Amino acid sequence: NQQEKTLTVRYKKNKAIRIIGFAAAALIAGLIAIKTLTPYNNPDSIYQDFYKPLNAYSSTTRNSANTVDPFSNAVEKYKQGQYQVAGVMFSDLIYEDSSNISYRFFSGLSQLELNNYEQSIQLFKEVISNNGEFQKEAKWYLGLAYIKTNDIQKASILFNELSGEKGYYQTMAQDLLDRIK
C-alpha cells in the first residue's frame, strides 16, 4: 500500500520536526536562563570582557655587537607572554634607572598579567603621577586592576576621566561605566 507508506513517512517526518523543535526551544530557554542568572556586572566578568594585553612595541636598537637593548628585550618577553621573565627584567631596569616611566608602566602590565594586582596598582599610580608618557594607558589598566580587586569606586573615577578624554579609551571607558552602574 503506497498510501500507507506515504502517511507513515510523513508521520515520522512530522514527529522528527517536533522533537527537533522542542530540543531547540529547550536549548534557547537554557541559554536565556544561564545568561539571566549570570551576573552581568560581576567584577571578574567585567575584567574578562574589557581586559586585553597591551599590543606592545619597542624601538629595537642594536649596538655594534648586534645585541638588543635590555628594554626592547623585556618588551619582547612581554609580547611573547613570558610575563614572569619580563617582570624581572623591568624591575632590574627600574633599579638601574628609577626615573624611566616606560619601565614602570611595562612592569605594571607584567604584574597585572601575573595577578599581582597591588603591585600593578602601585606602578600604574606612579606612572600617572608623573604626568608624562602612558597616562591614558596607565589609567585604563589601573582601573581594571581596581575592578579586579573589587574597588569599584576608584575604578569609576578613572573610567569617568577616560570617558571624558578623546582617544582610544574613551568609548571603552563609557561602556565599562555602563556595566558597573
Side-chain angles (χ1 to χ4, degrees), residues 11-32:
Y11 173 77
K12 287 181 180 178
K13 281 184 181 178
N14 285 342
K15 186 176 180 182
I17 289 171
R18 277 186 296 219
I19 290 171
I20 291 170
F22 286 134
L27 178 64
I28 291 170
L31 290 174
I32 290 171

Side-chain angles (χ1 to χ4, degrees), residues 51 78 87 90 94 102-114 116-117 119-124 127 141 145:
Y51 176 79
Y78 173 84
F90 289 123
I94 291 169
S102 297
Y103 300 166
R104 291 185 185 287
F105 176 69
F106 279 95
S107 184
L109 289 175
S110 298
Q111 295 309 314
L112 192 60
E113 284 288 347
L114 295 168
N116 296 331
Y117 303 114
Q119 198 170 354
S120 68
I121 286 170
Q122 185 57 42
L123 288 159
F124 291 137
V127 172
Y141 287 106

Side-chain angles (χ1 to χ4, degrees), residues 46-64:
I46 293 170
Y47 183 86
Q48 284 205 286
D49 288 348
F50 286 91
Y51 176 79
K52 289 173 188 50
L54 181 74
N55 188 11
Y57 63 92
S58 69
S59 54
T60 303
T61 56
R62 298 178 187 273
N63 62 18
S64 60

